[in-house]
Amino acid sequence: DFAVAVKHAVAHFGPERVLFGTDNPYLWPVLPEPAYVQAVRDLAVTGPQETRITEQDVRMILGENAARLLKL
């Protein structure tokens, strides 16, 4: 499950080391990019409590980490 995988990555590596990426062509037919972004945003507000991440984690994953990494 997507939520479980993201929660595991955040718990194991820390939210500061998880990046959002859209270069997985196998996912596109099932989950187009806008829906994929929304799925990440939803991880902070929907689903079982044990799979939720914080709003700050979502912001980091969706852009703050990349901006920091690329020094933008």
Side-chain angles (χ1 to χ4, degrees):
D1 177 60
F2 176 71
V4 173
V6 173
K7 176 68 176 194
H8 179 73
V10 168
H12 185 74
F13 299 110
E16 70 282 357
R17 292 184 173 184
V18 179
L19 297 172
F20 176 77
T22 60
D23 61 342
N24 183 353
Y26 303 107
L27 190 59
W28 294 342
V30 180
L31 194 62
E33 187 175 330
Y36 184 23
V37 171
Q38 189 59 50
V40 174
R41 286 190 178 121
D42 289 346
L43 293 175
V45 293
T46 62
Q49 188 64 39
E50 63 270 9
T51 62
R52 289 188 191 171
I53 59 176
T54 69
E55 291 282 345
Q56 178 60 34
D57 293 346
V58 170
R59 286 191 301 274
M60 292 170 76
I61 292 167
L62 289 179
E64 289 177 6
N65 290 338
R68 186 186 74 250
L69 181 68
L70 299 171
K71 296 180 174 48
L72 299 177

